[in-house]
């Protein structure tokens, strides 16, 4: 499977993706990356620097800390691919980078990695997936086969980039409430609400359509709310 690099979440859900529909073998799985996986992910990224560019250790650690990095594992401790992504608050999920090690390509692992991100994005109610790929990388045909549409071309640092998009139909669980109300203007309580939301496992973004009033709110509360809406 080829590679890509995309645009720029806060998502701590441990991901176990059933990839039988993608052609992956039963012993292979997609899961949330752990700290001990980063060495293998970094080595894989360095081996494919032509397609991915230079991926810094600090970047990998940040993706992993924020729950934005999934890995494909053939056996316990054997990482064969990875994908990094971001569920933006504007309704688009961006894929930063996706890569499968050379010996494991064309076995459905790339499709499974992207399908796992698509699944998460749909549960969050995202409107689509977006990524950028160098024009001279074979991955462009791969994204087209997965239903991505070539939206436009952009000028990259070293070569032109193809912007690919895939529109999604949200899949919100029937058991999820449609409306939430919380009355507080304390930054610490707002952060506590975020923590409780993450703990609940609800994949939707509670700040995507939030309404708040500046009346009786401190400047720190206003700053926090603006940051949450802009992330």
């Amino acid at each position: 499977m080829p590679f890509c690099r995309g645009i720029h979440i806060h998502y701590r859900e441990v991901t176990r993706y059933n990839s039988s529909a993608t052609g992956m073998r039963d012993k292979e799985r997609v899961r949330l990356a752990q700290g001990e996986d980063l060495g293998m992910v970094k080595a894989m990224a360095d081996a494919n620097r032509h397609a991915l560019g230079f991926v810094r250790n600090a970047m990998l650690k940040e993706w992993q800390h924020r729950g934005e990095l999934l890995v494909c594992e053939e056996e316990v401790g054997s990482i064969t691919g990875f994908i990094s992504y971001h569920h933006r608050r504007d309704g688009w999920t961006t894929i930063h980078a996706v890569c499968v090690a050379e010996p494991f390509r064309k076995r459905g692992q790339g499709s499974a990695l992207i399908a796992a991100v698509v699944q998460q994005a749909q549960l969050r109610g995202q409107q689509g997936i977006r990524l950028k790929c160098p024009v001279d990388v074979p991955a462009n045909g791969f994204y087209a086969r997965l239903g991505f549409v070539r939206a436009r071309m952009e000028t990259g640092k070293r070569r032109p980039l193809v912007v690919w998009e895939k529109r999604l139909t949200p899949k919100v669980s029937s058991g999820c409430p449609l409306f939430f109300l919380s009355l507080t203007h304390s930054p610490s309580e707002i952060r506590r609400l975020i923590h409780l939301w993450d703990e609940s496992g609800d994949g939707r973004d509670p700040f995507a359509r939030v309404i708040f009033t500046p009346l009786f709110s401190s400047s720190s509360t206003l700053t926090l709310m603006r940051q949450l809406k802009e992330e």
Side-chain angles (χ1 to χ4, degrees):
M1 140 72 194
F3 336 88
C4 86
R5 185 157 188 172
I7 324 172
H8 137 166
I9 105 192
H10 214 67
Y11 201 65
R12 297 186 178 90
E13 171 182 305
V14 175
T15 304
R16 303 274 182 178
Y17 180 72
N18 181 0
S19 52
S20 58
T22 66
M24 286 178 63
R25 300 176 182 179
D26 292 340
K27 64 180 179 179
E28 298 167 340
R29 63 173 181 166
V30 173
R31 62 169 174 80
L32 200 63
Q34 305 300 313
E36 55 268 26
D37 301 323
L38 297 186
M40 286 179 282
V41 172
K42 172 62 172 169
M44 194 182 307
D46 288 345
N48 295 281
R49 188 175 297 181
H50 171 72
L52 297 178
F54 182 66
V55 179
R56 296 178 291 108
N57 276 311
M59 186 182 301
L60 291 175
K61 290 178 180 178
E62 179 66 15
W63 289 341
Q64 187 269 325
H65 175 72
R66 299 178 64 180
E68 299 177 344
L69 182 64
L70 302 179
V71 295
C72 186
E73 183 180 58
E74 184 176 48
E75 298 176 351
V76 177
S78 176
I79 305 304
T80 58
F82 72 89
I83 188 169
S84 62
Y85 56 97
H86 177 69
H87 296 305
R88 294 163 55 102
R89 296 192 186 279
D90 64 359
W92 282 91
T93 293
T94 298
I95 293 177
H96 297 285
V98 55
C99 178
V100 173
E102 180 74 40
F104 300 94
R105 295 176 189 171
K106 298 184 179 180
R107 289 169 46 172
Q109 297 192 14
S111 299
L113 286 165
I114 290 181
V117 174
V118 169
Q119 185 180 70
Q120 289 189 8
Q122 288 179 315
L123 290 173
R124 292 178 66 97
Q126 299 288 87
Q127 63 177 304
I129 306 281
R130 180 179 292 139
L131 61 89
K132 295 180 181 179
C133 186
V135 69
D136 59 346
V137 171
N140 289 289
F142 170 76
Y143 299 124
R145 291 192 296 273
L146 289 182
F148 283 81
V149 175
R150 181 168 166 165
R152 60 186 180 276
M153 295 288 297
E154 289 188 0
T155 302
K157 292 182 178 180
R158 298 182 179 84
R159 49 192 166 171
L161 302 174
V162 182
V163 179
W164 293 93
E165 295 181 350
K166 182 181 179 72
R167 293 278 178 173
L168 302 178
T169 301
K171 293 183 179 180
V172 179
S173 170
S174 59
C176 293
L178 300 179
F179 181 81
F180 295 87
L181 174 65
S182 175
L183 299 177
T184 182
H185 63 121
S186 167
S188 62
E189 292 180 359
I190 293 172
R191 292 189 181 94
R192 175 61 178 163
L193 286 172
I194 295 172
H195 175 73
L196 292 173
W197 185 281
D198 289 342
E199 291 282 313
S200 74
D202 192 319
R204 291 173 295 171
D205 177 9
F207 293 94
R209 297 177 179 84
V210 70
I211 299 175
F212 75 99
T213 174
L215 298 178
F216 313 111
S217 296
S218 66
S219 59
S220 59
T221 298
L222 297 178
T223 299
L224 175 60
M225 293 303 298
R226 290 191 182 101
Q227 289 174 346
L228 290 169
K229 287 180 68 65
E230 292 171 359
E231 283 184 1

